[in-house]
Amino acid sequence: MLQVYTGTGKGKTTAALGVALRGAGYNLKTTMFSFLKDDPDYGEARAYKLLPGFVLKQVGRDAFVNFRNPDPVDLKMCRDGWELAKKTIAKQEADIYILDELNIVLATKMLPTEEVAEFLKEYKNKVEIIMTGRGAPEEIVKIADLVTDMQEVKHYFHKGVSSRDGIDH
């Protein structure tokens, strides 16, 4: 099935990783593609080797992405990452595929939503696919089997608490 975690609140990637953890309890394999995140200090990048059957492919760069005017290198990395994700999903070597931050890639037109939606329609009934990120396009919401919209009610960031290692990244 196709699961989508979107919205302005914290926890989209964390929810996807929770599915992977739960799946590992049943010997399910997970491959995660991290679009827009190539920081080796993210918790998932530091810990993924500890979870049996979990593969992480960071397909973005460790830099700020200007969504209004993306750098050509970011567009190329999104395209290359998507092509790799399609090939990997088509092989069906894992049970769960996480496409982390792909929603925002689509919402900001860094990749064409129609192309992604067509591919997902073909494979969502063969493997579990989870998409995360703000701004899930309506085309993706329509084809999804589960959509969770995480809304911020309160966040400690507004009290001046910065991102914490192991908790927020």
Side-chain angles (χ1 to χ4, degrees):
M1 293 197 186
L2 176 60
Q3 299 185 29
V4 175
Y5 297 103
T6 192
T8 59
K10 178 181 174 344
K12 296 172 287 291
T13 299
T14 305
L17 291 169
V19 174
L21 176 64
R22 188 174 277 165
Y26 286 89
N27 296 315
L28 299 181
K29 295 178 184 174
T30 298
T31 298
M32 177 174 175
F33 292 88
S34 286
F35 292 84
L36 309 176
K37 292 180 182 175
D38 189 25
D39 187 339
D41 284 330
Y42 272 104
E44 56 266 34
R46 295 171 65 132
Y48 80 91
K49 294 175 187 164
L50 301 174
L51 193 61
F54 192 98
V55 174
L56 174 66
K57 297 179 184 290
Q58 292 178 297
V59 296
R61 67 181 173 131
D62 182 18
F64 172 77
V65 176
N66 180 349
F67 294 117
R68 289 193 177 107
N69 185 23
D71 189 292
V73 70
D74 292 313
L75 294 172
K76 182 176 181 346
M77 291 184 87
C78 283
R79 170 54 63 191
D80 292 348
W82 173 239
E83 293 301 326
L84 179 61
K86 287 193 311 186
K87 288 177 189 169
T88 306
I89 292 168
K91 290 180 184 174
Q92 300 178 45
E93 293 174 348
D95 305 289
I96 301 166
Y97 292 92
I98 300 172
L99 304 172
D100 190 41
E101 302 296 351
L102 187 58
N103 289 333
I104 192 137
V105 167
L106 300 178
T108 57
K109 311 273 190 252
M110 293 175 71
L111 284 174
T113 299
E114 301 76 29
E115 174 189 335
V116 173
E118 285 304 311
F119 179 85
L120 295 175
K121 278 194 268 188
E122 181 179 348
Y123 284 93
K124 73 180 191 122
N125 295 317
K126 299 175 182 175
V127 294
E128 199 75 15
I129 301 173
I130 303 171
M131 292 177 64
T132 71
R134 295 173 180 237
E138 190 58 35
E139 297 95 317
I140 298 298
V141 170
K142 283 180 183 175
I143 66 167
D145 300 290
L146 176 146
V147 178
T148 299
D149 187 0
M150 297 181 174
Q151 295 301 311
E152 180 181 319
V153 174
K154 188 176 187 180
H155 197 302
Y156 42 78
F157 176 77
H158 300 294
K159 294 193 306 186
V161 177
S162 62
S163 183
R164 299 172 298 150
D165 292 346
I167 304 298
D168 300 306
H169 67 88

